Amino acid sequence: MWHLHQFPLCPFSRKLRLHMAEKAVAYELVRENPWEGRDGFWQLNPAGKTPVLHDPERGATLCDSRVIAEYFEETIERNALISGGAAQRAETRRLVALFDENFYRDVTEPVMHEKMMKRLILRQPPDGRVLRSAGKLLHGHLDYIDWLVDTRQWLAGPTLSLADLACAAHISVVDYLGAMDWSDHEQAKGWYMVMKSRPSFRPLLSEKMDGLPPPREYASLDL
Ligand SMILES: N[C@@H](CCC(=O)N[C@@H](CS)C(=O)NCC(=O)O)C(=O)O
């Protein structure tokens, strides 16, 4: 069976967990804190990043969430999440890159650093200026998500895709850390509620990062 090396608030691992649940791929979780630089982990992934999927029985290892997602799309036909014609598939990949690169750089990563790393590892208070700047950038991203929701059925087009999973994974981390602000973003909020209600989301909502409890509303299906 696949072992997924991850920690509960890694957005890339969350995207992969949603993907594996939607495609009914069985796996076990292995807790991995990449910042600890464990030797055995570096041997699996010389980039030292989560997520890593490893199957000890077959001796197979897959690294990087986008590579792993492509692997499952190529090997498991049911519930395709990069689907449609070439242009539609390109649109899904464009949005996954937008959320995994731009949203992560602007919002998820600074919020994780200020509210998770500083609290649990560095033992420092969060820097309000960094959080305010991430909050401003969050609104810009939510404006764009509002527009996508207004013009399409799902973020990338007519069907649920990996773009929805990527975006929801990042938002769920920011939400867990109490840094989501939905003011003036009813469309994006409605879409996230639909995502949050999917059975694939449930295990994420019940999981906690030790020493860092989520706000009470985090697991609620009413935002
Ligand atoms: N492109 C990678 C990004 C993975 C990534 O940045 N993971 C973070 C945790 S959320 C990490 O392991 N960071 C440790 C480091 O950069 O040293 C993917 O999609 O899997």
Side-chain angles (χ1 to χ4, degrees):
M1 190 191 288
W2 287 113
H3 289 185
L4 173 61
H5 292 249
Q6 61 107 50
F7 61 96
L9 290 182
C10 169
F12 306 101
S13 305
R14 285 182 164 232
K15 174 185 64 178
L16 195 56
R17 290 175 69 181
L18 293 172
H19 194 182
M20 292 170 89
E22 294 286 346
K23 290 184 93 69
V25 178
Y27 64 92
E28 272 173 26
L29 290 177
V30 177
R31 177 58 184 269
E32 194 74 59
N33 294 331
W35 54 89
E36 285 172 2
R38 193 173 65 81
D39 277 353
F41 182 57
W42 278 84
Q43 277 157 23
L44 289 177
N45 182 9
K49 295 183 184 207
T50 53
V52 169
L53 260 195
H54 177 60
D55 184 337
E57 283 137 39
R58 287 190 291 146
T61 306
L62 303 172
C63 303
D64 190 285
S65 69
R66 277 196 254 171
V67 171
I68 302 170
E70 295 284 345
Y71 173 87
F72 285 128
E73 287 301 302
E74 281 176 22
T75 54
I76 299 174
E77 253 178 61
R78 71 176 164 271
N79 297 341
L81 286 152
I82 305 177
S83 65
Q88 181 58 58
R89 298 198 306 277
E91 176 61 357
T92 297
R93 292 185 173 104
R94 176 185 78 81
L95 285 173
V96 171
L98 183 76
F99 299 125
D100 280 354
E101 290 169 22
N102 299 53
F103 192 103
Y104 178 65
R105 179 201 59 211
D106 293 344
V107 185
T108 326
E109 190 180 32
V111 169
M112 284 173 74
H113 184 74
E114 296 305 319
K115 294 194 143 212
M116 184 192 85
M117 293 303 283
K118 281 193 170 174
R119 167 118 176 239
L120 298 181
I121 319 294
L122 304 168
R123 309 276 172 203
Q124 290 170 10
D127 183 334
R129 279 170 313 172
V130 174
L131 289 173
R132 277 191 294 281
S133 155
K136 268 197 196 144
L137 294 168
L138 169 67
H139 280 292
H141 284 283
L142 288 174
D143 279 338
Y144 185 59
I145 297 166
D146 283 339
W147 178 80
L148 291 173
V149 173
D150 268 344
T151 52
R152 301 162 172 194
Q153 247 171 302
W154 295 90
L155 296 189
T159 57
L160 175 80
S161 78
L162 194 60
D164 297 281
L165 307 189
C167 185
H170 284 278
I171 287 180
S172 71
V173 172
V174 177
D175 196 27
Y176 185 107
L177 292 169
M180 265 322 283
D181 175 5
W182 294 106
S183 336
D184 299 327
H185 296 291
E186 287 307 312
Q187 297 94 323
K189 184 174 160 183
W191 162 85
Y192 184 61
M193 277 187 59
V194 170
M195 291 303 295
K196 226 175 147 180
S197 313
R198 294 184 76 79
S200 57
F201 228 91
R202 255 174 238 147
L204 300 186
L205 293 176
S206 60
E207 199 184 9
K208 307 256 182 336
M209 183 89 187
D210 18 299
L212 199 55
R216 206 155 9 123
E217 327 75 69
Y218 165 72
S220 152
L221 294 181
D222 297 317
L223 288 178

